[in-house]
Amino acid sequence: MDGTVKAAVWYSAVLLLKLASFPLIIGLNRVKRGVFVAEEDARFFGGVVKFTDVWIERLRRSHLNDLENILPFIALLLLSTTTGVMADLQTVLVIARVFTLVRLLHTLFYLIAAPQPLRAGAWFGGVVCNLYLAYQLITGLEF
């Protein structure tokens, strides 16, 4: 496996770990706050059914935004490195590092309710990375 693919796999694993950890974080916060969406959970944990807890909704929306942005990035990054379209290790590292950083910042800005345009700027940085990879794939493949 060449270096670009290894880098793509490593950064994909980091981003997938971020995605996989959020349901646990949300669940633990639900228990801590006593706020649930299912009656049986509320009874079991001694909480209430509530769909409008601001903190839980912030966590959920952040996670949903990650799903909408991280999964396409992983697919585009792996496709572009395994097909050889992105053969330069330094370029792959820059794209992967920038994307990972802006997604972490996006989550932080979302959770601390940072003023705009901080969160929007972090989101846009990720979108640019996805568009760049998609463009490279579309224009770089010969068949």
Side-chain angles (χ1 to χ4, degrees):
M1 183 181 318
D2 79 358
T4 60
V5 175
K6 284 182 185 178
V9 168
W10 192 87
Y11 278 96
S12 295
V14 168
L15 291 164
L16 287 170
L17 177 62
K18 180 183 186 313
L19 279 177
S21 68
F22 249 71
L24 176 63
I25 292 167
I26 294 167
L28 290 173
N29 273 272
R30 283 191 181 284
V31 171
K32 179 181 175 185
R33 297 175 73 82
V35 177
F36 303 94
V37 293
E39 189 67 44
E40 62 274 16
D41 295 338
R43 271 195 308 273
F44 182 78
F45 289 104
V48 296
V49 173
K50 184 177 179 184
F51 296 95
T52 58
D53 184 87
V54 174
W55 178 247
I56 298 297
E57 285 307 304
R58 219 167 243 291
L59 287 168
R60 285 185 66 253
R61 286 192 309 268
S62 175
H63 180 60
L64 291 173
N65 192 278
D66 275 347
L67 288 169
E68 295 167 354
N69 290 276
I70 290 175
L71 295 178
F73 177 79
I74 290 171
L76 290 166
L77 185 64
L78 292 174
L79 286 170
S80 64
T81 55
T82 57
T83 59
V85 168
M86 296 283 293
D88 180 59
L89 178 59
Q90 292 309 311
T91 304
V92 170
L93 288 172
V94 167
I95 293 294
R97 288 172 180 163
V98 167
F99 184 85
T100 302
L101 176 64
V102 298
R103 290 313 304 171
L104 291 171
L105 287 172
H106 180 271
T107 299
L108 174 67
F109 295 154
Y110 214 129
L111 296 183
I112 66 170
Q116 288 290 15
L118 292 174
R119 190 177 83 230
W123 172 81
F124 188 69
V127 169
V128 168
C129 290
N130 276 337
L131 292 174
Y132 175 80
L133 288 174
Y135 176 79
Q136 294 302 314
L137 270 169
I138 292 167
T139 61
L141 285 175
E142 296 177 16
F143 51 95

